[in-house]
């Protein structure tokens, strides 16, 4: 093909082709995936929390560059499934991995490689075609000796499982170190092609899902130990309030917080409804910031018996 290429005089030979494609970050819960996504995109997109699996939906952050568009697909964590929900999440993870152009495996610098990391690395080894980058996160928490040991261990892990890392990159999203470098290394692994999303888009997650995530995050605050995963939030409807002047719009949002057992109702609602009220106030502020418009939030708590194990309910709740 080489001889066939014809250059128009205007194009300089140095101009690299535009690239666009998908990357996903994988890793154990709390490996720093969401924080990294936010640092790359430059805005809070994925919902970060100190509890595993708050990102249950595929939240995409989009990194726009003049020469490239990197679309980050945030898959839920892969784990040994105990419930139907766990199994379904794992299936989503595997299909996503096979469909992206590059996989970034996040490993925290401050924790030695463990069985969880090996479990994921083994799965990665079975996905032959997709290039894999090892991203050593949270480097601000360790000294250079610890970091060097971690880099060697990660290199070894690839060798043991019979694959080569395309790159091994240490980053600190919190201290904003090497985040741009990471994007520079991910982009050449993407296919050539035009941008897939308009310039302004930072996430293609439907607003209702993002709003549900914000409510869920607020509802879990302070009760994670008692209700780690047994909360699902569904935004039933979002309707602009009628008879409002154009300069003073109000959006009515009706949402249900689903729990598994009646006994959990009291935990969510709190004495005299105080907790639920706080959840409403906190998430409303965040929703208003997200949408840029005043919101009236109507929250109701409902019991959906054992929803994590019931396929029909899972579908209804969007899993």
């Amino acid at each position: 093909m080489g001889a066939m290429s014809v250059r128009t005089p205007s194009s300089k030979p140095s101009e690299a082709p535009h690239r666009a494609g998908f990357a996903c970050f994988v890793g154990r819960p709390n490996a720093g995936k969401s924080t990294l996504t936010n640092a790359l995109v430059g805005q809070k997109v994925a919902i970060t929390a100190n509890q595993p699996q708050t990102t249950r939906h595929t939240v995409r952050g989009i990194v726009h560059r003049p020469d490239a568009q990197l679309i980050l697909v945030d898959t839920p964590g892969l784990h040994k499934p105990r419930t139907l929900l766990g199994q379904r999440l794992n299936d989503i993870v595997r299909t996503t991995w096979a469909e992206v152009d590059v996989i970034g495996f996040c490993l925290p610098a401050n924790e030695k490689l463990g069985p969880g990391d090996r479990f994921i690395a083994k799965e990665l080894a079975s996905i032959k075609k997709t290039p894999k980058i090892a991203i050593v996160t949270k480097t601000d928490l360790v000294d250079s000796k610890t970091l060097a040991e971690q880099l060697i261990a990660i290199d070894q892990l690839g060798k043991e499982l019979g694959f080569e890392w395309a790159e091994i990159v240490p980053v600190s999203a919190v201290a904003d170190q090497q985040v741009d470098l990471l994007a520079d290394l991910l982009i050449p692994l993407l296919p050539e092609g035009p941008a897939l999303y308009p310039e302004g888009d930072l996430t293609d997650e439907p607003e209702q899902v993002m709003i549900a995530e914000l409510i869920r995050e607020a509802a879990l605050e302070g009760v994670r130990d008692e209700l780690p995963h047994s909360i699902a939030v569904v935004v039933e409807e979002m309707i602009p309030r009628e008879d409002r002047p154009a300069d003073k719009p109000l959006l009515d949002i009706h949402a249900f917080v689903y729990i598994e057992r009646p006994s959990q109702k009291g935990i969510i609602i709190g004495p005299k409804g105080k907790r639920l009220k706080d959840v409403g106030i906190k998430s409303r502020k965040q929703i208003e910031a997200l949408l840029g418009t005043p919101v009236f939030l109507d929250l109701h708590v409902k019991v959906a018996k054992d929803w994590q194990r019931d396929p029909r309910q899972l579908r209804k709740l969007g899993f």
Side-chain angles (χ1 to χ4, degrees), residues 40-251:
L40 277 163
V41 176
Q43 185 171 342
K44 185 169 176 182
V45 188
I47 309 294
T48 51
N50 296 329
Q51 183 75 7
Q53 275 176 257
T54 39
T55 344
R56 281 217 173 131
H57 299 277
T58 306
V59 181
R60 294 178 170 85
I62 302 173
V63 182
H64 297 278
R65 292 247 182 131
D67 59 335
Q69 190 176 63
L70 173 65
I71 299 143
L72 301 169
V73 188
D74 203 11
T75 49
L78 185 83
H79 56 97
K80 298 198 166 70
R82 281 192 303 278
T83 61
L84 183 66
L85 173 64
Q87 188 56 59
R88 190 160 292 182
L89 288 174
N90 280 359
D91 295 343
I92 296 170
V93 173
R94 290 195 183 85
T95 41
T96 306
W97 290 5
E99 286 163 8
V100 295
D101 300 299
V102 53
I103 300 172
F105 184 14
C106 295
L107 298 134
N110 62 333
E111 295 173 29
K112 282 204 160 35
L113 297 188
D117 298 315
R118 283 176 191 286
F119 177 66
I120 295 170
K122 262 205 191 85
E123 290 286 333
L124 284 180
S126 68
I127 297 169
K128 298 276 187 275
K129 286 197 179 69
T130 317
K132 305 163 218 9
I133 285 188
I135 305 166
V136 188
T137 57
K138 310 187 185 188
T139 55
D140 53 299
L141 301 179
V142 299
D143 58 21
S144 52
K145 182 173 175 289
T146 312
L147 178 57
E149 284 166 2
Q150 188 71 322
L151 295 174
I152 293 164
I154 290 166
D155 185 44
Q156 277 308 114
L157 181 63
K159 287 199 173 79
E160 266 169 52
L161 295 169
F163 69 89
E164 187 77 38
W165 298 107
E167 306 277 353
I168 301 178
V169 198
V171 299
S172 166
V174 174
D176 196 24
Q177 286 164 345
Q178 306 238 84
V179 174
D180 283 342
L181 171 70
L182 174 62
D184 294 341
L185 295 170
L186 289 166
I187 285 165
L189 299 169
L190 304 178
E192 293 178 17
L196 302 167
Y197 287 86
E199 179 74 48
D201 288 7
L202 286 169
T203 169
D204 78 343
E205 194 59 8
E207 280 169 349
Q208 273 167 278
V209 174
M210 289 183 82
I211 290 166
E213 287 278 311
L214 288 171
I215 296 169
R216 184 168 181 268
E217 190 180 46
L220 277 172
E221 202 98 334
V223 295
R224 292 190 187 281
D225 303 338
E226 298 159 88
L227 308 173
H229 295 311
S230 36
I231 297 180
V233 175
V234 174
V235 174
E236 289 287 329
E237 50 184 12
M238 296 164 52
I239 321 170
R241 177 85 55 97
E242 289 181 14
D243 338 313
R244 297 283 294 205
D247 57 342
K248 292 214 172 97
L250 181 68
L251 186 65

